[in-house]
Amino acid sequence: MKKIIVFLYVFLLLTACSGQEKGELTRVDVKKVNTEGNYEDVVMITDNESIKLLKEAFEHIKWDDKVVNMARKADVKATLFYTFDENMPERLVDYEIWFNENASTATIVSNNENKSYGELDKDNSDTLKNILFK
């Protein structure tokens, strides 16, 4: 009996931790750095079309598991809200985003242990920037 309980516990744990991709992105809170260098709340994104475009853009990030120190503050801080089960609280994933004007790309640092540092190509970076700064 104990083996069955342990098996079920491990199975549920692995299922719950299998990745953000299976959760539904429901909301994105955006903070932008102001002229004084402080972050201010800019927008809460909840409309379905913007959420869909953001989710598609985030799926194109090329992730690398490394620790980086950036020379300046992030241009944007975004908190993504994922719902896995209506009876459970949302999971939050924080992203710091730097837009590289010269290369028209974006550098992203996340608090997600499996996806800590990423790069986003020009097209998806433009999409991300347009939605986050509207």
Side-chain angles (χ1 to χ4, degrees):
M1 184 65 172
K2 286 184 182 180
K3 288 181 183 180
I4 293 173
I5 292 173
V6 170
F7 173 76
L8 288 174
Y9 176 75
V10 170
F11 177 75
L12 290 173
L13 183 65
L14 289 175
T15 303
C17 298
S18 61
Q20 302 298 82
E21 295 78 23
K22 294 185 181 173
E24 180 183 347
L25 180 61
T26 57
R27 182 175 115 199
V28 179
D29 287 353
V30 181
K31 294 181 179 186
K32 185 176 96 171
V33 69
N34 62 20
T35 54
E36 291 88 37
N38 300 317
Y39 288 100
E40 57 187 33
D41 292 336
V42 175
V43 68
M44 179 190 311
I45 300 169
T46 58
D47 68 281
N48 290 335
E49 184 63 27
S50 295
I51 292 290
K52 179 183 171 203
L53 291 171
L54 283 172
K55 186 174 181 176
E56 289 172 4
F58 275 94
E59 288 173 354
H60 287 91
I61 298 172
K62 305 253 187 300
W63 292 105
D64 192 3
D65 189 24
K66 63 182 176 180
V67 178
V68 295
N69 289 321
M70 302 300 280
R72 63 180 169 91
K73 281 189 165 187
D75 298 314
V76 173
K77 286 187 177 183
T79 302
L80 279 63
F81 292 74
Y82 287 95
T83 302
F84 289 89
D85 182 350
E86 64 184 40
N87 298 322
M88 299 293 290
E90 295 172 310
R91 283 203 192 140
L92 309 180
V93 180
D94 293 320
Y95 292 94
E96 293 181 304
I97 304 168
W98 290 261
F99 292 101
N100 308 316
E101 297 299 326
N102 296 340
S104 296
T105 61
T107 301
I108 298 147
V109 175
S110 171
N111 69 339
N112 186 336
E113 60 204 35
N114 299 324
K115 299 176 179 177
S116 58
Y117 170 82
E119 293 283 335
L120 194 57
D121 62 31
K122 180 187 181 329
D123 291 335
N124 289 298
S125 178
D126 289 343
T127 300
L128 187 66
K129 190 174 189 178
N130 289 335
I131 294 171
L132 295 180
F133 284 108
K134 72 174 172 179

